[in-house]
Amino acid sequence: RKTNPGKQRAPNLLLLGMEPAQYVLWVLKSVKQAELEQSLLVLPLGHVERMLYYLILLLRSGRGVEICARVSVFLVKTHQNQIMTSRSIAVPLRELRRLLRQRLAESRDVIGFNLAALRAVAKTAASRKDAYLDFDTPSEAKDIWAGIGLGSDLAAALESRRR
């Protein structure tokens, strides 16, 4: 019998060198939405419990929040009667609900912050665009290529407009 002094497991080749939770996330992301729902629909209760366990692990690490939320809501809706009769799923469901609320609130805050930043950038860009492109006074328009001798479409357009 061989001993493992480092107490480190050898990576499973079927998991492509990933951790089990990471592999579950990879599979969930790689399956199309319609096919994912069909495959989750036929899961037996034991596999639903295992899937909820992996979803909790993924949410704890903050990976794949959107797909974890989608899968967990679908699983709970479709297997509602079986889940209500099973007492072993009550504690993981509470943990799942807590983690989903926490992670989705964090995602909502990040998205709101990014949206506000994009609006500020768009507003700044629009104000600067108006400052640079003032076509009412063509005599003040400046061609940046004029001094180099390259000739530009802007210079030609300004000359034709002046005539």
Side-chain angles (χ1 to χ4, degrees):
R1 185 175 189 184
K2 293 183 179 179
T3 59
N4 194 354
K7 305 247 181 195
Q8 202 172 27
R9 290 185 294 167
N12 190 341
L13 295 178
L14 296 176
L15 298 179
L16 304 174
M18 296 183 242
E19 291 293 319
Q22 193 176 12
Y23 181 76
V24 168
L25 179 64
W26 179 75
V27 169
L28 289 176
K29 285 184 176 180
S30 64
V31 177
K32 294 179 185 174
Q33 182 65 27
E35 295 170 357
L36 179 64
E37 288 180 358
Q38 286 181 350
S39 60
L40 292 174
L41 198 60
V42 297
L43 278 179
L45 187 62
H47 293 293
V48 170
E49 288 183 44
R50 181 61 58 109
M51 180 62 78
L52 292 177
Y53 169 75
Y54 284 122
L55 292 175
I56 289 171
L57 289 179
L58 288 169
L59 286 171
R60 281 183 184 157
S61 64
R63 290 183 284 174
V65 176
E66 297 88 5
I67 195 148
C68 287
R70 204 175 324 134
V71 167
S72 61
V73 167
F74 185 80
L75 282 175
V76 170
K77 279 184 177 181
T78 55
H79 299 281
Q80 182 178 4
N81 293 333
Q82 297 165 338
I83 289 173
M84 288 176 61
T85 59
S86 174
R87 295 198 182 268
S88 64
I89 303 181
V91 174
L93 274 179
R94 280 190 220 114
E95 177 71 8
L96 185 67
R97 181 180 67 179
R98 184 188 67 78
L99 285 169
L100 276 174
R101 285 183 179 178
Q102 176 186 352
R103 295 298 182 189
L104 288 175
E106 290 170 2
S107 295
R108 185 178 58 231
D109 292 344
V110 168
I111 290 170
F113 184 79
N114 290 345
L115 189 60
L118 284 173
R119 286 181 181 153
V121 167
K123 186 177 179 183
T124 304
S127 68
R128 287 186 181 174
K129 178 181 170 186
D130 293 341
Y132 287 125
L133 300 175
D134 190 12
F135 291 114
D136 294 336
T137 55
S139 61
E140 295 176 11
K142 184 178 178 182
D143 184 15
I144 59 170
W145 302 107
I148 303 175
L150 295 175
S152 69
D153 295 333
L154 180 62
L158 289 175
E159 288 300 319
S160 67
R161 200 170 203 195
R162 287 182 187 161
R163 291 180 192 163

